[in-house]
């Protein structure tokens, strides 16, 4: 390859291009994650790729790494500060509030979404600066059955993909009644530790974020930290017990993890994470929880809500670790190989008819010779080749060749669609 063959431009550091055939796997994963939510009455929502910075600083939390270190921000010509969205929940809730969906009289508002998100962090396996998630949010109802529903839907998505090596971690973070007392106890404990200045600042702003610190030196010191489970009020205990019972009744295995906190400020009560031990340090493949106060944080009314986001990239990595091959639909069922100009026109018409009839069909473009065209047919993954020359057309037929067995048979020009559909069935 010469320097003239190399593109001047490359994908930015920490990002990736999705190209065939790998892109088909990503599409299948997105579809599989979304399918259970759609069956449960969740409607699709799509929000802009950027929002005002304040939405995330107020909602996600000013003390989080996401807001302080990882957001891509820009200032418009008019002086407005915008940020590429680092997560989906705040944007979806903002959109629902702006459109007054919560006033339509049918709560909860159930929404699912799929898209790209952006965080400036050190790229590594399973962690990118541009990544893909599918999420689901149920807005405006406080009901343990809703928490359980969402967890069950995520579990169904992973199961449908054939993923087996994941674990579900579960915890409760309490609510505005019982969290303050726990917060004080945790702050008292953390102030006695040897922590760097940045981490000490978090003790005052949001001490739960310190528990989420992944550094080994910090985790060792946290071994004796007070647990939220020991400080839950009776209402939160009862709520959490109901969620656990519902999951058990649905056959969804989980592990109680009293140290589990999510990296965002808005979570209350139910908190959960799906992890896969085959992914190394970036073991989380998805997670979520209840966020009863987020609507008020961003200027809306009280709307208790719950949701999750599952990582498409991480899920694909987990499937590869387990060696799971997804059953993907054929990109091409029929590949047309014309010999001569008249055959090009006849087979192009046939390809158009096949596509209109729902059959995936492609064509040997560029006037390739027979040998090269048949190589292209085999590379396409098609099951059949449609081959025709002047003699075939004079007889009113084309040759339908089975590329697996090598068998070939003439088919009437006006019966191509029926013949192909019969063989594919």
């Amino acid at each position: 390859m010469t320097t003239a063959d190399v593109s001047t431009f490359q994908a930015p550091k920490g990002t990736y291009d999705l190209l065939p055939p790998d892109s088909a796997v990503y599409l299948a994963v997105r579809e599989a994650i979304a399918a259970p939510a759609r069956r449960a009455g969740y409607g699709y929502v799509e929000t802009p790729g950027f929002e005002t910075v304040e939405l995330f600083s107020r909602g996600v939390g000013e003390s989080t790494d996401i807001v302080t270190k990882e957001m891509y921000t820009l200032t418009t010509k008019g002086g407005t500060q915008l940020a590429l969205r680092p997560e989906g929940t705040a944007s979806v809730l903002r959109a629902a509030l702006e459109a007054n969906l919560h006033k339509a009289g049918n709560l909860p508002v159930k929404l699912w979404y799929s898209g790209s998100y952006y965080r400036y962090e050190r790229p590594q396996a399973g962690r990118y600066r541009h990544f893909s998630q599918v999420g689901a949010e149920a807005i405006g109802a406080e009901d343990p059955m809703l928490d359980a529903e969402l967890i069950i839907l995520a579990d169904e998505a992973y199961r449908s993909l054939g993923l087996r090596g994941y674990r579900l971690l579960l915890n409760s973070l309490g609510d505005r009644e019982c969290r303050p007392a726990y917060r004080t106890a945790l702050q008292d404990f953390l102030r006695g530790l040897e922590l760097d200045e940045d981490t000490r600042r978090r003790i005052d702003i949001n001490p739960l974020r310190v528990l989420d610190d992944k550094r080994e030196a910090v985790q060792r010191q946290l071994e004796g930290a007070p647990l939220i489970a020991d400080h839950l009020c009776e209402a939160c205990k009862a709520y959490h017990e109901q969620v656990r019972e519902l999951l058990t009744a649905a056959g969804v295995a989980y592990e109680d993890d009293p140290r589990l906190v999510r990296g965002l400020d808005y979570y209350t009560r139910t908190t959960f994470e799906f992890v896969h031990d085959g992914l190394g340090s970036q073991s989380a493949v998805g997670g979520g929880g209840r966020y009863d106060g987020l609507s008020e944080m961003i200027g809306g009314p009280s709307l208790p809500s719950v949701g999750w986001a599952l990582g498409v990239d991480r899920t694909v990595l987990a499937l590869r670790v387990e060696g799971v091959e997804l059953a993907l639909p054929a990109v091409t069922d029929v590949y047309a190989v014309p010999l001569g100009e008249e055959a090009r026109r006849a087979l192009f018409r046939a390809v158009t008819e096949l596509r209109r009839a729902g059959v995936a069909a492609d064509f040997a473009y560029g006037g390739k010779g027979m040998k090269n065209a048949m190589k292209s047919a085999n590379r396409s993954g098609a099951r059949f080749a449609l081959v025709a020359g002047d003699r075939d057309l004079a007889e009113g037929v084309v040759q339908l060749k089975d590329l697996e067995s090598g068998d070939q048979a003439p088919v009437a020009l006006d019966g191509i669609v029926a013949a192909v559909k019969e063989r594919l069935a």
Side-chain angles (χ1 to χ4, degrees):
M1 183 183 285
T2 66
T3 51
D5 295 323
V6 181
S7 168
T8 308
F9 300 104
Q10 295 178 319
K13 184 179 178 182
T15 67
Y16 56 86
D17 297 309
L18 273 184
L19 300 166
D22 288 347
S23 53
V25 176
Y26 280 72
L27 282 174
V29 167
R30 284 180 192 152
E31 283 295 310
I33 292 175
R38 290 162 74 171
R39 288 195 298 269
Y42 290 72
Y44 183 66
V45 58
E46 194 167 306
T47 63
F50 51 84
E51 301 269 3
T52 57
V53 166
E54 196 182 5
L55 174 68
F56 300 116
S57 59
R58 286 172 68 178
V60 174
E62 289 195 53
S63 71
T64 62
D65 281 350
I66 290 173
V67 170
T68 59
K69 299 176 185 175
E70 296 169 8
M71 280 205 306
Y72 284 94
T73 58
L74 59 118
T75 304
T76 68
K77 290 177 181 177
T80 304
Q81 273 207 303
L82 300 176
L84 298 184
R85 57 188 184 190
E87 59 93 51
T89 300
S91 295
V92 169
L93 185 55
R94 189 270 309 149
L97 289 170
E98 189 175 333
N100 286 317
L101 297 186
H102 58 294
K103 293 181 180 176
N106 193 21
L107 295 176
V109 176
K110 289 178 158 190
L111 301 169
W112 77 273
Y113 56 93
S114 174
S116 295
Y117 298 87
Y118 308 89
R119 295 183 193 174
Y120 186 84
E121 50 192 349
R122 186 168 60 84
Q124 54 187 291
R127 173 169 279 188
Y128 307 101
R129 291 176 175 176
H130 148 255
F131 55 96
S132 177
Q133 290 184 336
V134 176
E137 315 289 350
I139 298 164
E142 185 180 17
D143 189 332
M145 286 190 173
L146 207 50
D147 302 35
E149 172 182 280
L150 275 154
I151 295 172
I152 292 165
L153 294 177
D155 183 69
E156 280 177 18
Y158 289 136
R159 285 193 199 191
S160 73
L161 285 165
L163 207 57
R164 292 291 176 264
Y166 62 91
R167 295 180 293 124
L168 168 62
L169 309 180
L170 187 66
N171 195 20
S172 173
L173 293 179
D175 61 10
R176 63 185 70 183
E177 296 300 318
C178 54
R179 181 108 61 100
Y182 172 65
R183 178 190 166 103
T184 302
L186 183 59
Q187 284 173 324
D188 291 343
F189 173 83
L190 294 174
R191 287 188 182 114
L193 304 183
E194 290 182 24
L195 301 169
D196 60 84
E197 203 174 315
D198 272 357
T199 310
R200 296 197 79 80
R201 268 200 297 271
R202 281 186 182 151
I203 295 173
D204 295 319
I205 304 169
N206 185 355
L208 267 73
R209 288 285 297 122
V210 181
L211 296 180
D212 200 36
D213 196 310
K214 300 294 187 285
R215 291 172 297 178
E216 227 176 280
V218 177
Q219 281 300 317
R220 274 199 305 272
Q221 295 187 72
L222 292 173
E223 282 178 14
L227 301 176
I228 182 69
D230 298 329
H231 291 77
L232 292 180
C233 61
E234 290 308 312
C236 283
K237 279 183 193 170
Y239 192 99
H240 193 55
E241 192 52 43
Q242 283 187 65
V243 174
R244 293 168 80 252
E245 287 170 2
L246 290 162
L247 293 178
T248 301
V252 174
Y254 62 86
E255 298 173 23
D256 290 309
D257 184 350
R259 294 190 179 279
L260 176 67
V261 297
R262 300 282 295 153
L264 309 172
D265 283 4
Y266 51 61
Y267 284 116
T268 55
R269 288 196 172 175
T270 306
T271 259
F272 56 92
E273 192 160 270
F274 290 90
V275 297
H276 196 288
D277 296 326
L279 298 185
S281 62
Q282 302 303 319
S283 62
V285 288
R290 178 157 281 282
Y291 48 94
D292 290 345
L294 179 57
S295 176
E296 292 155 285
M297 282 183 199
I298 63 172
S302 174
L303 283 173
S305 306
V306 60
W308 48 245
L310 309 186
V312 177
D313 322 82
R314 299 269 182 92
T315 302
V316 170
L317 283 176
L319 290 167
R320 285 177 185 159
V321 165
E322 291 192 25
V324 177
E325 294 281 339
L326 300 182
L328 301 173
V331 176
T332 308
D333 292 315
V334 179
Y335 196 94
V337 178
L339 306 172
E341 195 54 40
E342 193 183 341
R344 274 169 58 82
R345 283 194 287 270
L347 287 192
F348 189 74
R349 283 195 300 273
V351 163
T352 301
E353 287 174 18
L354 284 165
R355 290 171 180 165
R356 286 174 176 166
V359 177
D362 206 348
F363 188 87
Y365 295 102
K368 296 175 182 175
M370 177 74 168
K371 188 176 179 183
N372 279 340
M374 288 307 294
K375 278 184 181 175
S376 295
N378 283 308
R379 286 193 202 105
S380 76
R383 173 75 192 281
F384 297 102
L386 271 183
V387 185
D390 292 342
R391 188 184 302 170
D392 296 303
L393 295 181
E395 295 174 12
V397 299
V398 297
Q399 301 297 323
L400 185 60
K401 181 171 185 175
D402 188 319
L403 293 172
E404 286 180 13
S405 67
D407 295 341
Q408 183 172 305
V411 171
L413 260 175
D414 59 1
I416 292 173
V417 172
V420 167
K421 291 192 92 168
E422 183 185 336
R423 284 167 173 79
L424 286 173

